[in-house]
Amino acid sequence: MTRVTLVTVAYNSAAVLPTLLASIPAGVACIVVDNGSKDPGEIRDLAQAHGAEFIASERNIGFGRGCNLGAAQATTEFLFFVNPDAQLAPGAIEALLEAADAHPDACAFNPRLREGNGKIAFKRRSKLLPKAQWLPREAADADCELPVLQGSAIFVRRAAFEAVKGFDPKIFLYHEDDDLSLRLKADCGPLRLVTGSEVVHLFGESTARSPRTAALKAWYMGQSRVYACRKHGMPNAFGNALIEALSKLLSPLTLLSARKRAKHLAFLRGVLAARQCADALKPFDAR
């Protein structure tokens, strides 16, 4: 399995990272990118203990740029971007390689993703696509072509990733996987689900939970929503995001929760910031 390099981006992820590293099969190269954690030495020690290469960024440069930083050091045929709060099931990488060899036209793949409780997590739609291109829920039952990839575990041919110049560095967080998916599909070939490969993902556990972190993530989500929708030609990108932000903020459930108020207010501010910075956030063009 020297054909694969696994890349994971850690941000204060010392509590969950050991589970991922322990699940990586022997012979698979691994690169751990520390994205400005409070204690990068702890992440470095974990990486070294498991034989992984360690790369440190002095500050948090965003998920996509962190992935790009790690991928730049890889020389293998395939890249496997996996969140630090994930665990590979036995045979996961072998199944992905078999699918890639069986479908040489496809450029990138998702394994079957499960939540910690065993429930299948299936990304069948995207804010960057019209509803006509969304998949039905039952599509997750068998291998199939995907409209977009779920970013928590992306298996991609390195040549294709490099051809589209990787993740858009202007997207700090959220929708970077959808954006990469659409560029890969347009320029390099289909995206596929591989049900014979499984990864367990403890969604939302890659960073410590706190109201401040929730608000910060929501701000980036609002900004990324407008930018990415504009980039991919979705109609009324700002207006639709603004309506969603206001409806969330005015929901009775939000009014009863201080944490939700902070989160949804931050989402609104992110949407507004994206409009105010429209000229600065011109779409990144890989071509």
Side-chain angles (χ1 to χ4, degrees):
M1 287 186 289
T2 54
R3 300 168 67 190
V4 182
T5 298
L6 187 147
V7 177
T8 189
V9 177
Y11 176 67
N12 299 328
S13 307
V16 296
L17 185 59
T19 300
L20 170 64
L21 295 177
S23 71
I24 300 173
V28 174
C30 177
I31 298 174
V32 176
V33 179
D34 181 75
N35 214 1
S37 295
K38 292 179 181 179
D39 187 358
E42 187 175 12
I43 303 295
R44 181 194 62 235
D45 292 345
L46 287 170
Q48 292 178 345
H50 288 84
E53 182 178 347
F54 175 77
I55 301 173
S57 173
E58 293 184 358
R59 61 186 179 86
N60 189 344
I61 58 175
F63 175 77
R65 289 180 67 187
C67 288
N68 290 346
L69 188 63
Q73 303 303 312
T75 59
T76 52
E77 181 183 359
F78 293 94
L79 299 168
F80 194 15
F81 298 102
V82 183
N83 277 23
D85 57 339
Q87 181 179 19
L88 309 185
I93 292 179
E94 292 92 334
L96 288 165
L97 285 170
E98 288 178 8
D101 291 340
H103 298 277
D105 59 322
C107 66
F109 307 80
N110 262 158
R112 169 169 278 167
L113 288 153
R114 291 189 184 273
E115 300 177 17
N117 61 8
K119 181 180 178 181
I120 293 176
F122 179 53
K123 188 171 184 178
R124 61 188 184 88
R125 59 188 182 180
S126 169
K127 293 287 187 180
L128 309 188
L129 288 173
K131 289 186 178 181
Q133 296 184 34
W134 294 4
L135 294 180
R137 295 184 188 277
E138 58 270 19
D141 296 340
D143 290 9
C144 64
E145 287 194 20
L146 296 171
V148 287
L149 298 165
Q150 188 150 305
S152 50
I154 292 178
F155 189 80
V156 59
R157 300 183 194 275
R158 183 169 61 88
F161 185 78
E162 292 176 351
V164 299
K165 298 186 180 178
F167 287 95
D168 183 342
K170 288 190 175 183
I171 302 179
F172 187 89
L173 191 64
Y174 294 111
H175 301 301
E176 70 282 327
D177 49 351
D178 301 57
D179 168 72
L180 175 68
S181 298
L182 296 183
R183 290 186 286 116
L184 283 169
K185 186 166 62 172
D187 292 355
C188 302
L191 317 172
R192 293 192 61 85
L193 172 67
V194 182
T195 57
S197 172
E198 290 203 357
V199 172
V200 177
H201 182 209
L202 302 175
F203 289 83
E205 299 296 334
S206 56
T207 57
R209 290 179 178 270
S210 71
R212 181 180 180 277
T213 299
L216 184 64
K217 287 183 175 181
W219 188 89
Y220 281 117
M221 180 183 285
Q223 188 181 59
S224 297
R225 175 71 54 78
V226 177
Y227 169 73
C229 284
R230 278 179 178 151
K231 176 177 177 178
H232 291 279
M234 297 302 291
N236 198 24
F238 172 75
N240 288 337
L242 180 62
I243 291 170
E244 180 180 342
L246 291 173
S247 64
K248 287 182 176 181
L249 191 59
L250 297 176
S251 165
L253 295 176
T254 298
L255 299 176
L256 296 173
S257 168
R259 183 180 180 278
K260 286 185 177 181
R261 283 199 302 275
K263 178 180 178 180
H264 296 325
L265 181 59
F267 180 72
L268 174 61
R269 288 173 173 167
V271 170
L272 295 174
R275 184 179 192 183
Q276 293 167 359
C277 300
D279 292 337
L281 285 172
K282 291 178 181 177
F284 166 74
D285 189 355
R287 300 173 192 173

